[in-house]
Amino acid sequence: MEVKIGVQHAPREIVLESGQSAEEVERVVAEALAGKSQLLSLTDEHGRKILVPAERLAYVELGEPAPRKVGFGAL
């Protein structure tokens, strides 16, 4: 699943492909915004961990994964 994270005072958003379900990501984001944790912590498909301070979150956008394109087909 594609996750886009907007961070306050940062010119670019963070984009990652996560192996977590939409419900899991939504739960983690809700916990960070509710103050249960000070960091939003997500792991991408390659095992890299992304940490964002909860008070700096501007927005989190959840999307469907884009299927990988293979070969030299017509666009």
Side-chain angles (χ1 to χ4, degrees):
M1 135 165 310
E2 182 181 61
V3 180
K4 293 181 182 179
I5 304 170
V7 181
Q8 295 176 5
H9 309 296
R12 296 178 57 183
E13 62 190 9
I14 300 169
V15 180
L16 66 123
E17 285 289 330
S18 177
Q20 297 171 300
S21 69
E23 292 80 22
E24 289 178 272
V25 174
E26 188 174 348
R27 180 184 51 79
V28 172
V29 171
E31 287 175 0
L33 292 175
K36 293 182 180 179
S37 64
Q38 294 182 348
L39 292 173
L40 170 62
S41 175
L42 296 172
T43 305
D44 72 359
E45 288 183 335
H46 302 289
R48 295 178 291 215
K49 191 168 257 195
I50 290 84
L51 303 169
V52 179
E55 71 270 1
R56 295 289 182 199
L57 287 175
Y59 63 90
V60 177
E61 182 179 317
L62 305 176
E64 292 298 319
R68 291 188 177 229
K69 295 183 176 160
V70 179
F72 297 100
L75 296 176

